[in-house]
Amino acid sequence: MEDFKNKDNALKDKKIVLGLSGGIDSVVLLHYLHTHYPNNLRAVHCNHHLSKHCNEWEIFCKDLCTALNIPYTNIDIQLLKMSNIEGNSRKSRYHSLSSNLEKDEILCTAHHQNDQAETLLLQLFRGCGVAGLAAMPKSKPFGKGTHYRPMLNIGKSAILKYAKNNHLSWVEDDSNMDKNFRRNFLRLDIIPKLETVYKNLTLTLLRSAKHQSEALHLIQDLAKIDIKKNQIINGNQLDVKCLMQLEPYRIKNIMRYHLSVLNFLAPSDKIMQQMLGLLSAKEDANPLVNWGNFEMRRYKNKLYFIDTQMTKNKENCPYHDEFKNTAHFSIRYRNEAQRIKLPGKTHSQSLKKVLQEAGIPPWERNTLKMYYIENELRAMERIGYMQDD
């Protein structure tokens, strides 16, 4: 989408979900989408409950969608952390939008050229690498569908003109004038001063972001080549010995690529150095590096990547399905120094040894379900049946 005059080919025959804040950008996008795709559109508003006007904005969005006969959903968000409100609000909002998205739906947000330029500068001042300086991608996989930014090639002036020509109304977020938020500080103070010296600043920054995006694709392609050539990935684990055949900068590139595929938070330089140090840890060590809600652990020359907030896979265990309706059925977890007897064995074995031989990492062992009938252990998750005496 290069202007508001024509349909966006990327949205043809798509089930569209609009993230609607009530501000001018999202209201303009709502009007555009309703004009061109009236029967394939629904809207979602996220109420963060951070402003005294938040309920007024919610009512505005609901009334606007009702008037246009657009299906509308409101999502209430309560922040658990009040530090870094800007960042935590964004994370919570996108998590909620991702959870709301149905299969094959495309989430549209109203980011535009000026937002992209601000993002590039913010990332630059944070010391980000190529991935950060590539700024916001136009399209990317998101939840069960896709996140698409149709107005990323359109400037703020064109948005203002569209709103005026179509007599649109919108709400003004008072927090947009709060210079304690770094994006606002850049937009209100820094960028206007830069524009007095650097003509066409926004377009210049967009060109830089495009160059960085192309560079990002190149280094991701290199990571894929290194992974395939050196057989580095087995499941979601990285092979330490295979990694160690490469130069440190290529190891870091593989790790960053792998973390991006897993949708993990990108680690800082300090954390990345700790990860490299973990590669040379002793064979009998079970070292750990953590950042945010994420962990990297080493076990038996494999690197494991863990999201500590992700709920355990809820796929049914076949042993649970077999025994769950049996009388006196219970689920327990292993005890210290516990012994079990596997089929075909004449003597019991240490459960710890059985788990080690099965290659189950230490941090997963205490979560494995053990299935009992009348106080007799009959089977264990990921291990199998027990000897029936």
Side-chain angles (χ1 to χ4, degrees), residues 321-350:
D321 290 344
E322 179 180 348
F323 295 120
K324 64 182 179 181
N325 295 320
T326 306
H328 307 293
F329 168 70
S330 63
I331 298 175
R332 304 178 194 176
Y333 299 90
R334 74 171 183 142
N335 299 318
E336 196 68 30
Q338 187 171 1
R339 299 180 70 84
I340 62 172
K341 191 174 181 182
L342 297 174
K345 300 290 185 180
T346 56
H347 301 286
S348 65
Q349 297 174 274
S350 161

Short mmCIF file of all heavy atoms in Angstrom, two decimals, residues 321-350:
data_model
loop_
_atom_site.label_atom_id
_atom_site.label_comp_id
_atom_site.label_asym_id
_atom_site.label_seq_id
_atom_site.Cartn_x
_atom_site.Cartn_y
_atom_site.Cartn_z
N ASP A 321 -4.19 -41.43 29.56
CA ASP A 321 -5.46 -41.76 28.93
C ASP A 321 -5.89 -43.19 29.25
O ASP A 321 -7.07 -43.49 29.40
CB ASP A 321 -5.34 -41.61 27.41
CG ASP A 321 -5.22 -40.14 26.99
OD1 ASP A 321 -5.52 -39.26 27.82
OD2 ASP A 321 -4.80 -39.88 25.84
N GLU A 322 -4.91 -44.09 29.39
CA GLU A 322 -5.22 -45.50 29.66
C GLU A 322 -5.72 -45.72 31.08
O GLU A 322 -6.64 -46.50 31.32
CB GLU A 322 -3.97 -46.35 29.42
CG GLU A 322 -4.17 -47.83 29.70
CD GLU A 322 -2.92 -48.66 29.45
OE1 GLU A 322 -1.97 -48.12 28.82
OE2 GLU A 322 -2.88 -49.83 29.87
N PHE A 323 -5.14 -44.99 32.04
CA PHE A 323 -5.42 -45.28 33.45
C PHE A 323 -6.39 -44.31 34.13
O PHE A 323 -6.89 -44.60 35.21
CB PHE A 323 -4.12 -45.27 34.25
CG PHE A 323 -3.15 -46.36 33.88
CD1 PHE A 323 -1.88 -46.05 33.41
CD2 PHE A 323 -3.50 -47.71 33.98
CE1 PHE A 323 -0.98 -47.04 33.07
CE2 PHE A 323 -2.60 -48.71 33.64
CZ PHE A 323 -1.35 -48.38 33.17
N LYS A 324 -6.67 -43.17 33.49
CA LYS A 324 -7.36 -42.09 34.21
C LYS A 324 -8.74 -42.46 34.74
O LYS A 324 -9.19 -41.91 35.75
CB LYS A 324 -7.47 -40.86 33.31
CG LYS A 324 -8.33 -41.07 32.07
CD LYS A 324 -8.34 -39.81 31.20
CE LYS A 324 -9.18 -40.01 29.95
NZ LYS A 324 -9.17 -38.79 29.10
N ASN A 325 -9.43 -43.42 34.10
CA ASN A 325 -10.77 -43.79 34.55
C ASN A 325 -10.78 -45.05 35.43
O ASN A 325 -11.84 -45.56 35.79
CB ASN A 325 -11.69 -44.01 33.34
CG ASN A 325 -11.90 -42.71 32.56
OD1 ASN A 325 -12.04 -41.65 33.15
ND2 ASN A 325 -11.91 -42.81 31.23
N THR A 326 -9.57 -45.54 35.76
CA THR A 326 -9.45 -46.73 36.61
C THR A 326 -9.65 -46.34 38.07
O THR A 326 -9.24 -45.28 38.52
CB THR A 326 -8.06 -47.36 36.44
OG1 THR A 326 -7.83 -47.61 35.04
CG2 THR A 326 -7.96 -48.68 37.21
N ALA A 327 -10.29 -47.24 38.84
CA ALA A 327 -10.51 -46.98 40.26
C ALA A 327 -9.18 -46.82 41.00
O ALA A 327 -8.19 -47.50 40.65
CB ALA A 327 -11.32 -48.13 40.88
N HIS A 328 -9.14 -45.93 41.95
CA HIS A 328 -7.96 -45.69 42.81
C HIS A 328 -6.75 -45.19 42.00
O HIS A 328 -5.61 -45.49 42.34
CB HIS A 328 -7.59 -46.96 43.59
CG HIS A 328 -8.73 -47.55 44.35
ND1 HIS A 328 -9.32 -46.92 45.43
CD2 HIS A 328 -9.41 -48.72 44.18
CE1 HIS A 328 -10.31 -47.68 45.89
NE2 HIS A 328 -10.39 -48.77 45.15
N PHE A 329 -7.06 -44.47 40.94
CA PHE A 329 -5.98 -43.90 40.11
C PHE A 329 -5.47 -42.60 40.74
O PHE A 329 -6.24 -41.79 41.24
CB PHE A 329 -6.51 -43.62 38.70
CG PHE A 329 -5.61 -42.77 37.85
CD1 PHE A 329 -4.40 -43.27 37.39
CD2 PHE A 329 -5.95 -41.46 37.53
CE1 PHE A 329 -3.56 -42.49 36.59
CE2 PHE A 329 -5.12 -40.67 36.74
CZ PHE A 329 -3.92 -41.19 36.27
N SER A 330 -4.14 -42.42 40.70
CA SER A 330 -3.57 -41.18 41.22
C SER A 330 -2.30 -40.82 40.44
O SER A 330 -1.67 -41.69 39.84
CB SER A 330 -3.25 -41.30 42.72
OG SER A 330 -2.25 -42.30 42.93
N ILE A 331 -1.98 -39.55 40.47
CA ILE A 331 -0.77 -39.04 39.83
C ILE A 331 0.17 -38.52 40.91
O ILE A 331 -0.23 -37.77 41.79
CB ILE A 331 -1.08 -37.91 38.83
CG1 ILE A 331 -1.97 -38.42 37.70
CG2 ILE A 331 0.21 -37.31 38.27
CD1 ILE A 331 -2.41 -37.33 36.73
N ARG A 332 1.43 -38.96 40.83
CA ARG A 332 2.43 -38.50 41.80
C ARG A 332 3.70 -38.10 41.04
O ARG A 332 3.79 -38.24 39.83
CB ARG A 332 2.73 -39.60 42.82
CG ARG A 332 1.50 -40.12 43.56
CD ARG A 332 1.84 -41.23 44.50
NE ARG A 332 0.63 -41.94 44.95
CZ ARG A 332 0.64 -43.00 45.73
NH1 ARG A 332 1.81 -43.52 46.16
NH2 ARG A 332 -0.49 -43.59 46.09
N TYR A 333 4.66 -37.62 41.80
CA TYR A 333 5.94 -37.21 41.23
C TYR A 333 7.06 -37.90 42.00
O TYR A 333 6.86 -38.38 43.11
CB TYR A 333 6.08 -35.69 41.25
CG TYR A 333 5.00 -35.02 40.44
CD1 TYR A 333 3.78 -34.65 41.01
CD2 TYR A 333 5.18 -34.80 39.07
CE1 TYR A 333 2.78 -34.06 40.25
CE2 TYR A 333 4.18 -34.20 38.30
CZ TYR A 333 2.98 -33.85 38.90
OH TYR A 333 2.00 -33.28 38.15
N ARG A 334 8.22 -37.95 41.41
CA ARG A 334 9.30 -38.78 41.95
C ARG A 334 9.76 -38.30 43.33
O ARG A 334 9.69 -37.12 43.67
CB ARG A 334 10.48 -38.82 40.99
CG ARG A 334 11.32 -37.54 40.93
CD ARG A 334 12.56 -37.80 40.09
NE ARG A 334 13.42 -36.63 40.05
CZ ARG A 334 14.73 -36.66 40.08
NH1 ARG A 334 15.36 -37.82 40.15
NH2 ARG A 334 15.44 -35.57 40.03
N ASN A 335 10.26 -39.27 44.09
CA ASN A 335 10.84 -39.02 45.40
C ASN A 335 12.36 -39.16 45.32
O ASN A 335 12.90 -39.83 44.44
CB ASN A 335 10.30 -40.00 46.44
CG ASN A 335 8.80 -39.88 46.60
OD1 ASN A 335 8.26 -38.78 46.63
ND2 ASN A 335 8.11 -41.02 46.69
N GLU A 336 13.04 -38.56 46.24
CA GLU A 336 14.49 -38.70 46.32
C GLU A 336 14.86 -40.15 46.57
O GLU A 336 14.25 -40.84 47.39
CB GLU A 336 15.03 -37.81 47.44
CG GLU A 336 16.52 -37.57 47.38
CD GLU A 336 16.92 -36.72 46.19
OE1 GLU A 336 16.11 -35.88 45.75
OE2 GLU A 336 18.04 -36.92 45.68
N ALA A 337 15.85 -40.64 45.84
CA ALA A 337 16.36 -42.01 45.99
C ALA A 337 15.32 -43.08 45.63
O ALA A 337 15.45 -44.25 46.02
CB ALA A 337 16.86 -42.25 47.42
N GLN A 338 14.29 -42.72 44.87
CA GLN A 338 13.27 -43.68 44.48
C GLN A 338 13.82 -44.70 43.50
O GLN A 338 14.68 -44.40 42.69
CB GLN A 338 12.08 -42.94 43.85
CG GLN A 338 10.88 -43.83 43.56
CD GLN A 338 9.66 -43.00 43.13
OE1 GLN A 338 9.72 -41.78 43.04
NE2 GLN A 338 8.55 -43.67 42.87
N ARG A 339 13.31 -45.92 43.57
CA ARG A 339 13.69 -46.99 42.66
C ARG A 339 12.46 -47.50 41.94
O ARG A 339 11.35 -47.51 42.50
CB ARG A 339 14.38 -48.14 43.42
CG ARG A 339 15.65 -47.70 44.13
CD ARG A 339 16.30 -48.87 44.87
NE ARG A 339 16.86 -49.85 43.95
CZ ARG A 339 18.08 -49.75 43.40
NH1 ARG A 339 18.86 -48.72 43.67
NH2 ARG A 339 18.53 -50.69 42.58
N ILE A 340 12.63 -47.95 40.68
CA ILE A 340 11.53 -48.49 39.90
C ILE A 340 12.00 -49.77 39.22
O ILE A 340 13.20 -50.02 39.10
CB ILE A 340 11.03 -47.48 38.84
CG1 ILE A 340 12.14 -47.16 37.83
CG2 ILE A 340 10.50 -46.21 39.49
CD1 ILE A 340 11.67 -46.33 36.66
N LYS A 341 11.03 -50.54 38.75
CA LYS A 341 11.35 -51.79 38.06
C LYS A 341 10.70 -51.79 36.69
O LYS A 341 9.48 -51.76 36.56
CB LYS A 341 10.86 -52.99 38.88
CG LYS A 341 11.38 -54.34 38.38
CD LYS A 341 10.98 -55.45 39.32
CE LYS A 341 11.51 -56.79 38.86
NZ LYS A 341 11.08 -57.89 39.77
N LEU A 342 11.54 -51.78 35.65
CA LEU A 342 11.06 -51.73 34.29
C LEU A 342 10.79 -53.13 33.75
O LEU A 342 11.36 -54.12 34.24
CB LEU A 342 12.09 -51.03 33.40
CG LEU A 342 12.38 -49.56 33.73
CD1 LEU A 342 13.53 -49.04 32.89
CD2 LEU A 342 11.14 -48.72 33.51
N PRO A 343 9.93 -53.28 32.76
CA PRO A 343 9.64 -54.59 32.18
C PRO A 343 10.91 -55.28 31.70
O PRO A 343 11.80 -54.66 31.10
CB PRO A 343 8.72 -54.25 30.99
CG PRO A 343 8.09 -52.95 31.37
CD PRO A 343 9.12 -52.20 32.12
N GLY A 344 11.02 -56.60 31.96
CA GLY A 344 12.17 -57.37 31.52
C GLY A 344 13.36 -57.30 32.46
O GLY A 344 14.38 -57.98 32.23
N LYS A 345 13.27 -56.50 33.52
CA LYS A 345 14.36 -56.38 34.47
C LYS A 345 14.09 -57.27 35.68
O LYS A 345 12.96 -57.38 36.15
CB LYS A 345 14.52 -54.93 34.94
CG LYS A 345 14.82 -53.93 33.83
CD LYS A 345 16.22 -54.11 33.27
CE LYS A 345 16.54 -53.04 32.24
NZ LYS A 345 17.91 -53.19 31.68
N THR A 346 15.14 -57.89 36.18
CA THR A 346 14.99 -58.77 37.34
C THR A 346 15.12 -58.01 38.65
O THR A 346 14.65 -58.48 39.69
CB THR A 346 16.04 -59.90 37.31
OG1 THR A 346 17.35 -59.31 37.23
CG2 THR A 346 15.82 -60.80 36.10
N HIS A 347 15.75 -56.85 38.59
CA HIS A 347 15.93 -56.04 39.80
C HIS A 347 15.46 -54.61 39.55
O HIS A 347 15.42 -54.14 38.42
CB HIS A 347 17.40 -56.03 40.24
CG HIS A 347 17.96 -57.40 40.52
ND1 HIS A 347 17.62 -58.12 41.64
CD2 HIS A 347 18.80 -58.19 39.79
CE1 HIS A 347 18.24 -59.28 41.62
NE2 HIS A 347 18.97 -59.35 40.50
N SER A 348 15.15 -53.94 40.63
CA SER A 348 14.77 -52.52 40.53
C SER A 348 16.02 -51.68 40.24
O SER A 348 17.14 -52.10 40.49
CB SER A 348 14.11 -52.05 41.82
OG SER A 348 15.03 -52.10 42.90
N GLN A 349 15.79 -50.50 39.69
CA GLN A 349 16.87 -49.58 39.36
C GLN A 349 16.62 -48.23 40.01
O GLN A 349 15.47 -47.85 40.29
CB GLN A 349 16.96 -49.38 37.85
CG GLN A 349 17.31 -50.60 37.05
CD GLN A 349 17.22 -50.30 35.55
OE1 GLN A 349 16.15 -50.41 34.96
NE2 GLN A 349 18.33 -49.92 34.95
N SER A 350 17.68 -47.48 40.18
CA SER A 350 17.54 -46.11 40.65
C SER A 350 16.80 -45.31 39.59
O SER A 350 17.17 -45.33 38.41
CB SER A 350 18.93 -45.50 40.89
OG SER A 350 18.85 -44.10 40.91
#
